Amino acid sequence: VTYKWLSHTLGVHVNQAKQMLYDYVERKRRENSGAQLHVTYLVAGNLLQNGHVCHKIAVVREDKLEAMKSKLSTIASVHVYSIQKALLKDSSPLYNTDYDIVKTNLHNCSKFSAIHCDAAVRRIQPDIPRAQTSLQGSSQRESDTDALRTPTTNGHGPLAAKHPPQPQKGIMGMFAAKAASKPQDTNKETKAEAPSVSTASSKPPTKNNIIKNFFGKAAMNKLKVNPVPEQPKEEKEVVKPSVAVAEPESSPNPVVEKPGKRTESARIQQKDRKSKMKHVDRSDNEEETDPENAKKKRKRIKQLESDSSDEEDVPPSPTPEEEKALSPPPAADLKTELEPASMEVSAGGRKRKRKRVLKSKMFIDKEEGYMGKAG
Amino acid sequence: MFSEQAPPTAQGLLGPPSAEPPTFPRVPVLGYSDCSGPFQLAERSFARQYAHVYSVRLAGMRPVLERRARGLWGKDVLVRKLSELQTGEKCCVVGTLFKAMQLQPSILQEISDEHNLVPQPPLPKYIQPSDELILEDELQRIKLEGAIDVQRLVTGTILAVYGSEQDDGRFVVEDHCLADLPPPLPWNGPSSDRFVLLASGLGLGSGSGEALLGTQLLVDVVTGQLGAEGEQSCAATISRVILAGNLLSQNTQGRDTINKARYLTKKTQAASVEAVKMLDEILLQLCTSVPVDVMPGEFDPANYTLPQQPLHRCMLPLSSTYATLHLVTNPYQADLDGVRFLGTSGQNVSDISKYSSMDDYLEILEWTLLAGHISPTAPDTLGCYPFYKSDPFIITECPQVYFCGNAPHFQSKLLQGAEGQRVLLVTVPEFSTTQTACLINLRDLTCQPITFSSFGAEDED
């Protein structure tokens, strides 16, 4: 039992917790009950060391307390650190207790402390997602294949934060709700994959509210895609939660062309990405993701059933290309966009838009040797 | 000193619970401005040659050196370029130093097929008695001899030498000078005690548990949970925490994914993932209570070349929501409460120590300040971005606190300059090994180390 644990558990100020511990020890000792309590103290003070007056803070066992106090030239504070029944061999249980209790109330860890800082306020929500999405945008331009995911944005770091891609603001609300408090595991998990450039399309996410709704339905967790290994082809995907929405494209044209995207397109793109990523996952036989993916798939389909232009569930296949080949005709248009080249924007929504997208993509398609349909 | 008012109430918490204990408000930030603009890279094009770095460095520092030379050796000392040298004439030349070292790892040797050499293992020091100094300016180079300490100087320093050229093309040096301290900044320091905590080398992810309790104690002290009331009120005067690099330990750098077969490493995460999560939690605890500046270091997930760009926000999702967290570049310069801070995570100093006979981190730190350049060995032996417009590592204004992180032990010194500059030099020790951090009092520019300890399995004295 450490003072911090007590303070969080009882909801009292840390100083009170320390005093409570001391009081308890005193009373128990006075009662002379059989139980032996071992107490550790915290001693702080000044000490002359190497010619400097060094401020030393130490956690000491009770038997060492006096020795430590005598070593210090001036004592700044002494208080009970913890009480336990057994004699501690080393301080790791103390650390573990504190670690656990802090972990459970991570955001309120300073509530019971003696110092309050007015400046420590949470940033307003828009700041976070904007940074996140812009960061994703910039990180997607990276084409390094380090195993360690380097967070450096190549040249777009400060710029990315500065030019708020307006369409990406839409992600704000969505992220505010979900991503802010979620440790972005995917970012870390996707170490193995190459955060690669997706040469294709970006979806200028203009559909802010819509995305919000979309995400409202699907839990954010679902959207966190599992690590996606590198694809043999250039089809690389950056796996990020906000993923689909903020991919800047290599060519600016499609971006310009898609100003008026609809919900569906966003959703479908999400779905596309997810299905693509899922297939990629499957192709690499990552079993643990499968059930989750399957669930994801099912959930998405249910939600998007209403959508006419929804693509159907594509059966898993070893390579994304095959998967595309298998895609049913109605989704074919969309699928054609999911060319090997990239996370393409699923045209989704209006066919007109789809055609436009495809046309602009024709170059890429042709390069890949796959003649895409003109929608 | 820190916690001077503490002793009277030292034993205050050894008693029954009292009425509502006081909470102390953290001292507000008087003034903060981040001056590390030059260290932030906007566009990054590596298509340029590195020679431009040297030429802008020379161009930037030449006027300073000429002024200094005139001051030292007389107003009418001849300042010549190498191409204008005449044999036997005493003159002063300003140029970049190049030290030809035999042991210096050279990429050309490594990839040379003829030699079939195994790449040289990293040595602690690469100096040898046979090293030579060569002075280069914009057009020519000349070998230096004479009253100049070959072992001490490193490549990339801009200096002025006074001497004459001999017949055989060598330049015999009689005296040399560095740029010396840059002009001082006006003093706007606070009038009451305010502290800044400097720590570096937290070394998370190393797998050793002892250092973690120390880190936790550090966080507790700063957030005011530890200590009696007096100590807590003193902790409230800590206005800022600067973490100077190496937040992750070297163990997280393992590149198994490159060496091992893919099927072995597919499902494993890199060690730095866990470490960064731990870092995030620690930073969250700190951020709720005090403004924190986080600088990347040698083993942190940031770019390798100097200037290292700030860590990425999305790596620290929990703590980056707080406005008190500032992710800053590696050479970091800022005005904290009116005091100018300048510091690095230690890569520059350790690199110089490898190529020079200087061993003492504080001595090297002082030397870099006198040389007017944060890291002269970049880009020769230290990775650096190919600047071509201006060299941001030139120290143009004298900082009031100059620190370097990840030093082997704590040292500090107050340097007084000729023009009234007062610089506090601090070498911040590695926390993971020494459990020591530094507290700098901004009012009077003093520094005090603060150590943490816990009891281990064996009895400590």
Side-chain angles (χ1 to χ4, degrees), chain A residues 226-254:
Chain A
N226 304 303
V228 174
E230 225 176 309
Q231 285 307 295
K233 303 240 168 167
E234 296 134 53
E235 186 167 38
K236 299 170 188 178
E237 303 162 356
V238 181
V239 177
K240 295 222 159 71
S242 64
V243 114
V245 254
E247 277 180 290
E249 198 180 348
S250 45
S251 66
N253 299 336

XYZ file of all heavy atoms in Angstrom, chain A residues 226-254:
218
model
N -5.685 -3.712 -38.765
C -4.519 -4.412 -38.262
C -3.341 -4.199 -39.168
O -3.482 -3.719 -40.271
C -4.864 -5.885 -38.156
C -6.075 -6.063 -37.288
O -6.067 -5.637 -36.168
N -7.125 -6.622 -37.848
N -2.230 -4.576 -38.707
C -1.023 -4.333 -39.496
C -1.147 -4.933 -40.876
O -1.557 -6.063 -41.058
C 0.065 -5.049 -38.722
C -0.511 -5.383 -37.426
C -1.955 -5.128 -37.421
N -0.858 -4.141 -41.786
C -0.961 -4.591 -43.164
C 0.431 -4.734 -43.713
O 1.161 -3.773 -43.818
C -1.726 -3.554 -43.979
C -1.701 -3.960 -45.439
C -3.146 -3.479 -43.475
N 0.793 -5.888 -44.036
C 2.140 -6.053 -44.557
C 2.278 -5.479 -45.950
O 1.313 -5.221 -46.630
C 2.343 -7.566 -44.597
C 1.085 -8.159 -44.098
C 0.060 -7.114 -43.921
N 3.443 -5.334 -46.316
C 3.747 -4.735 -47.598
C 3.224 -5.604 -48.730
O 3.259 -6.815 -48.671
C 5.248 -4.659 -47.728
C 5.712 -3.347 -48.245
C 7.197 -3.320 -48.263
O 7.789 -3.639 -47.247
O 7.730 -3.022 -49.329
N 2.793 -4.983 -49.670
C 2.308 -5.732 -50.819
C 3.397 -5.874 -51.847
O 4.215 -4.995 -52.028
C 1.130 -4.991 -51.453
C -0.109 -5.139 -50.637
C -0.398 -6.581 -50.355
O -0.676 -7.351 -51.244
N -0.306 -6.979 -49.098
N 3.380 -6.957 -52.512
C 4.393 -7.099 -53.571
C 4.261 -6.024 -54.620
O 5.231 -5.472 -55.089
C 4.118 -8.482 -54.160
C 2.802 -8.896 -53.617
C 2.557 -8.153 -52.382
N 3.077 -5.728 -54.971
C 2.911 -4.671 -55.930
C 2.977 -3.349 -55.223
O 3.172 -3.273 -54.036
C 1.540 -4.816 -56.601
C 1.353 -6.141 -57.248
C 1.115 -5.941 -58.700
C 1.204 -7.243 -59.469
N 0.692 -7.076 -60.788
N 2.793 -2.352 -55.965
C 2.830 -1.059 -55.318
C 1.632 -0.823 -54.453
O 1.504 0.213 -53.845
C 2.854 0.058 -56.352
C 4.093 0.036 -57.190
C 3.708 0.204 -58.630
O 2.999 1.175 -58.930
O 4.096 -0.642 -59.431
N 0.780 -1.765 -54.457
C -0.415 -1.535 -53.689
C -0.057 -1.538 -52.224
O 0.001 -2.546 -51.591
C -1.403 -2.645 -53.943
C -2.703 -2.402 -53.296
C -3.684 -3.352 -53.859
O -3.306 -4.493 -54.109
O -4.806 -2.927 -54.083
N 0.193 -0.431 -51.750
C 0.520 -0.351 -50.356
C -0.510 0.508 -49.701
O -1.022 1.440 -50.271
C 1.895 0.283 -50.198
C 2.920 -0.588 -50.883
C 4.223 0.109 -50.949
C 5.144 -0.712 -51.821
N 6.400 -0.084 -51.966
N -0.785 0.196 -48.532
C -1.796 0.990 -47.864
C -1.242 1.485 -46.566
O -0.558 0.787 -45.861
C -3.013 0.132 -47.585
C -3.542 -0.476 -48.843
C -4.435 -1.613 -48.519
O -4.565 -1.941 -47.340
O -5.000 -2.169 -49.450
N -1.591 2.633 -46.346
C -1.230 3.143 -45.043
C -2.377 2.836 -44.113
O -3.500 3.208 -44.354
C -1.007 4.641 -45.102
C -0.613 5.147 -43.750
C 0.064 4.929 -46.108
N -2.068 2.154 -43.113
C -3.152 1.762 -42.234
C -3.267 2.769 -41.118
O -2.466 2.831 -40.225
C -2.845 0.394 -41.639
C -3.921 0.034 -40.676
C -2.766 -0.619 -42.745
N -4.266 3.509 -41.187
C -4.477 4.466 -40.132
C -5.959 4.533 -39.864
O -6.743 4.267 -40.716
C -3.977 5.826 -40.573
C -2.491 5.805 -40.766
C -1.885 7.028 -40.208
C -0.442 6.751 -39.955
N 0.394 6.624 -41.062
N -6.287 4.897 -38.694
C -7.729 4.934 -38.398
C -8.485 5.885 -39.290
O -9.526 5.567 -39.816
C -7.793 5.371 -36.936
C -6.433 5.706 -36.547
C -5.495 5.154 -37.528
N -7.958 7.029 -39.398
C -8.695 7.988 -40.187
C -8.465 7.723 -41.633
O -9.074 8.332 -42.475
C -8.187 9.362 -39.894
O -6.863 9.380 -40.329
N -7.558 6.908 -41.829
C -7.243 6.327 -43.099
C -7.895 6.884 -44.343
O -7.496 7.820 -44.937
C -7.516 4.852 -42.931
C -8.616 4.354 -43.733
C -6.261 4.120 -43.118
N -8.952 6.302 -44.652
C -9.468 6.533 -45.983
C -9.556 7.987 -46.318
O -9.375 8.365 -47.442
C -10.843 5.941 -46.083
N -9.809 8.750 -45.349
C -10.194 10.081 -45.722
C -9.087 10.977 -46.166
O -9.250 11.792 -47.027
C -10.903 10.744 -44.552
C -12.342 10.784 -44.860
C -10.718 9.906 -43.306
N -7.980 10.844 -45.591
C -7.056 11.936 -45.870
C -5.850 11.588 -46.694
O -4.753 11.863 -46.308
C -6.580 12.512 -44.560
N -6.024 10.983 -47.765
C -4.827 10.642 -48.523
C -4.543 11.642 -49.604
O -5.284 11.763 -50.553
C -5.025 9.310 -49.197
C -4.737 8.177 -48.267
C -4.949 6.912 -49.013
O -6.116 6.622 -49.294
O -3.976 6.277 -49.353
N -3.522 12.301 -49.499
C -3.200 13.219 -50.584
C -2.694 12.410 -51.740
O -1.999 11.444 -51.576
C -2.095 14.078 -50.014
C -1.534 13.302 -48.903
C -2.570 12.353 -48.432
N -3.037 12.787 -52.847
C -2.722 11.990 -54.001
C -1.488 12.517 -54.680
O -1.066 13.626 -54.475
C -3.893 12.070 -54.946
C -3.867 10.968 -55.948
C -5.044 11.127 -56.829
O -5.898 11.931 -56.447
O -5.101 10.492 -57.856
N -0.950 11.679 -55.454
C 0.231 12.140 -56.161
C -0.147 13.173 -57.196
O 0.512 14.179 -57.367
C 0.928 10.965 -56.839
O -0.056 10.178 -57.471
N -1.191 12.926 -57.857
C -1.588 13.949 -58.812
C -2.714 14.768 -58.223
O -3.600 14.256 -57.582
C -2.064 13.300 -60.101
O -3.252 12.594 -59.827
N -2.648 15.991 -58.405
C -3.650 16.853 -57.766
C -5.007 16.787 -58.434
O -5.996 17.209 -57.867
C -3.052 18.248 -57.888
C -2.101 18.151 -59.032
C -1.662 16.746 -59.147
N -5.032 16.258 -59.611
C -6.294 16.347 -60.327
C -7.467 15.700 -59.630
O -8.491 16.320 -59.435
C -6.152 15.732 -61.724
C -5.120 16.485 -62.522
O -4.887 17.639 -62.208
N -4.526 15.855 -63.487
N -7.312 14.475 -59.264
C -8.483 13.852 -58.644
C -8.944 14.603 -57.412
O -10.114 14.624 -57.104
C -7.991 12.463 -58.269
C -6.844 12.224 -59.180
C -6.252 13.549 -59.456
